[in-house]
Amino acid sequence: MDAKLLEILVCPVCKGLLHLDKARQELICRGDRLAFAIKDGIPVMLESEARELPADEEVGQ
């Protein structure tokens, strides 16, 4: 994932910062506990496509 792109992307729900989970290839919004998939290097920034993070799943650093 391009670092410059990561700097300008925000959560489409709350406009908060996103954090890259390299292992899962997801962008994580800690505030909304949503994970946005990265497919073929392109982030899928649709709320309807986001994965909700379970309460017991630790949100990365």
Side-chain angles (χ1 to χ4, degrees):
M1 174 113 225
D2 182 42
K4 291 198 184 271
L5 180 60
L6 186 55
E7 288 177 15
I8 63 171
L9 284 177
V10 295
C11 174
V13 178
C14 71
K15 310 300 183 241
L17 293 176
L18 296 170
H19 304 275
L20 177 62
D21 182 338
K22 290 181 184 179
R24 288 192 137 159
Q25 286 296 291
E26 293 177 327
L27 293 174
I28 306 294
C29 176
R30 293 177 182 159
D32 292 316
R33 298 196 58 82
L34 293 173
F36 299 93
I38 300 171
K39 297 181 181 179
D40 297 322
I42 301 169
V44 180
M45 302 302 295
L46 299 171
E47 182 181 2
S48 62
E49 295 289 321
R51 178 175 71 87
E52 290 187 32
L53 299 174
D56 62 344
E57 184 173 334
E58 188 172 321
V59 179
Q61 301 294 345

